[in-house]
Amino acid sequence: MKTDQRTLVAAVLSALVGTLAAGPAAADQCILDDLIVDGSACIGVDCVCNSEVFGFDTLRLKENNLRITFIDTSTAASFPRGDWQLRANESTNGGANEFAIDWLGTTATSGSGVESTPFAIEGTAPNNALYVDDGGRVGFGTATPSVELHVIDGDTPTLRLQQDGSAGFTPQTWDVAGNETNFFVRDVTSGSALPFRIRPGAPSNAIFTDVDGDVGMGTSSPNNDLHVRKSDSTATLLELENVNATGRNTGVTMRNSTGNAYTFLVNAVGDFAISHGGTGVNEIVLDTSDNVTIENDLTVNGTIFGTVASSRGAKTAVESVDPRRVLAKVAALPMAEWSYALGTAADRERHLGPMAEDFHAAFGLGRDGESISLVDYSGVALAAIQGLNQKLEERDAVIDELEARLAALEAALAGE
């Protein structure tokens, strides 16, 4: 019996081998059990029988349109039932050489159309165009990403954000990029303007925004809405510049919650001015010749209110002065009428007063002989007034005495 079985199996195998050698079967072959192939397999109309060289290939697809389609036959509405396709190259003349994953929808059958292609790789893509390492880090252009998303390129690696208008919003494109010159945000739609740039080597906390909205420049702990801090020996400055060729005002407006505002500006001719919001008038102007003007017209009246520290407790080396001597020096002080040499001829208003050199030589006041302090002006004037008053009082006493003597003499003459 065992011999008969062996003979029968041998006959079946011999017939099967003869059938395979004769060519493909006329009908589909259905295998109603697991299929295990101890070797490689080639599928496709261009596979070569008995002479296909597989090399390391385990499964080979070989023909002019290569597809692996996944058709999910789930019928229950609560189960996923989408169909997918792995595709090698486009089938159209002149199409792309690409490996792609196609979405076929939820009702696909073999040979159905592609609804979308969410993933594709062209054959000429460079090494490591997309790489995911064992830590989940993604590399673009690198097989050793050091952070969650790592982009390497030989010239200005860039991330583009493009709103294409497909959702009804205005198209707009932005680039975020960096190179040896700067890190920048580029407004591609608006002529590739660069509204934001950071130079390599910029210090830590060059711009810092705190949790309460305070902005620090040079500090990570801003104390106010804008806090600028420097630690080197250079000055801390805030510069505003208008480079319009025809000249325009450049300034800062400060406004409170009730709408009151002051504007600090440099006007078109170079004067520094302070303007109260809504008046249309520069109430205080410091011109290019260092003259300070307070506007005073029919609608705006200006007065200088100022104080100078003058308490005894704020002074040292206090010495009394002789008002008569001060008066004598004032009387001898040369006075002149003059104009400042700076500025244009139209700006050279006439003034009257002493020269700083003469004032300093007479009184020895101030820090140098090139300027006169307003405090010294008023102090000398007051002391001179006191000296003049002393002289007038002495003169009045003499007059009173002479008038009394005259009255006594007139009375004596009248009694004779």
Side-chain angles (χ1 to χ4, degrees):
M1 186 65 180
K2 290 182 180 180
T3 302
D4 294 339
Q5 290 177 346
R6 291 193 183 101
T7 302
L8 178 61
V9 170
V12 172
L13 291 176
S14 176
L16 178 59
V17 170
T19 301
L20 292 175
D28 295 340
Q29 298 186 31
C30 297
I31 300 174
L32 303 179
D33 202 344
D34 298 335
L35 174 62
I36 299 173
V37 178
D38 186 6
S40 299
C42 181
I43 301 175
V45 296
D46 294 325
C47 291
V48 181
C49 293
N50 296 325
S51 59
E52 192 73 39
V53 179
F54 286 96
F56 291 105
D57 296 350
T58 302
L59 177 62
R60 176 180 294 178
L61 306 183
K62 189 175 181 181
E63 60 179 72
N64 60 1
N65 284 294
L66 301 174
R67 308 288 187 271
I68 298 178
T69 302
F70 303 86
I71 298 177
D72 193 318
T73 58
S74 301
T75 57
S78 60
F79 284 87
R81 48 200 297 259
D83 300 325
W84 297 88
Q85 174 179 272
L86 296 181
R87 172 173 52 84
N89 304 323
E90 293 183 337
S91 60
T92 58
N93 185 21
N97 292 313
E98 64 180 15
F99 174 74
I101 299 178
D102 297 326
W103 167 248
L104 305 180
T106 57
T107 58
T109 58
S110 179
S112 63
V114 175
E115 291 191 9
S116 63
T117 303
F119 179 83
I121 301 176
E122 290 190 359
T124 55
N127 289 334
N128 305 311
L130 174 64
Y131 189 96
V132 181
D133 73 2
D134 56 2
R137 294 177 290 265
V138 179
F140 289 89
T142 176
T144 56
S146 55
V147 292
E148 284 73 19
L149 181 61
H150 188 168
V151 181
I152 290 182
D153 189 75
D155 181 15
T156 313
T158 303
L159 171 65
R160 172 158 293 191
L161 307 175
Q162 181 174 355
Q163 181 172 281
D164 61 4
S166 59
F169 298 101
T170 302
Q172 174 66 43
T173 301
W174 296 93
D175 284 347
V176 179
N179 53 31
E180 79 286 355
T181 303
N182 48 214
F183 167 81
F184 60 88
V185 176
R186 178 168 53 208
D187 185 353
V188 179
T189 303
S190 301
S192 293
L194 302 177
F196 180 81
R197 303 170 71 185
I198 300 176
R199 294 287 192 186
S204 297
N205 303 313
I207 300 177
F208 180 91
T209 303
D210 211 342
V211 294
D212 57 359
D214 288 351
V215 177
M217 301 183 70
T219 175
S220 60
S221 54
N223 296 323
N224 290 288
D225 298 326
L226 177 61
H227 183 171
V228 181
R229 180 182 180 186
K230 295 184 70 175
S231 58
D232 58 24
S233 59
T234 61
T236 300
L237 300 174
L238 175 64
E239 181 170 333
L240 306 177
E241 181 180 7
N242 189 330
V243 296
N244 188 287
T246 59
R248 290 292 186 271
N249 293 344
T250 301
V252 176
T253 297
M254 300 181 181
R255 189 185 310 275
N256 64 13
S257 60
T258 61
N260 292 319
Y262 272 97
T263 298
F264 302 83
L265 58 88
V266 176
N267 62 24
V269 297
D271 298 337
F272 174 76
I274 300 177
S275 174
H276 188 271
T279 64
V281 175
N282 294 331
E283 283 82 5
I284 301 177
V285 177
L286 172 63
D287 66 23
T288 54
S289 298
D290 295 334
N291 297 312
V292 178
T293 302
I294 294 183
E295 198 65 40
N296 196 348
D297 58 27
L298 295 178
T299 60
V300 181
N301 296 316
T303 303
I304 295 179
F305 295 93
T307 60
V308 178
S310 192
S311 170
R312 285 186 176 87
K315 301 174 182 178
T316 186
V318 177
E319 299 178 2
S320 298
V321 298
D322 182 355
R324 293 283 190 91
R325 293 186 61 190
V326 174
L327 178 60
K329 292 179 180 181
V330 170
L333 187 64
M335 305 294 289
E337 187 178 288
W338 41 265
S339 298
Y340 283 110
L342 298 176
T344 64
D347 296 331
R348 294 172 185 168
E349 301 174 350
R350 300 298 289 170
H351 303 280
L352 187 149
M355 301 300 168
E357 292 86 352
D358 297 335
F359 190 89
H360 187 72
F363 301 103
L365 302 174
R367 66 180 60 182
D368 54 40
E370 297 181 358
S371 60
I372 303 175
S373 169
L374 295 179
V375 173
D376 295 335
Y377 258 136
S378 59
V380 167
L382 289 174
I385 291 172
Q386 286 183 344
L388 181 60
N389 182 65
Q390 290 176 3
K391 294 183 68 172
L392 291 176
E393 287 181 344
E394 290 178 357
R395 183 171 299 177
D396 288 342
V398 171
I399 292 174
D400 289 343
E401 181 182 354
L402 292 175
E403 286 180 344
R405 292 174 63 184
L406 178 59
L409 180 59
E410 288 178 346
L413 292 174
E416 291 181 350

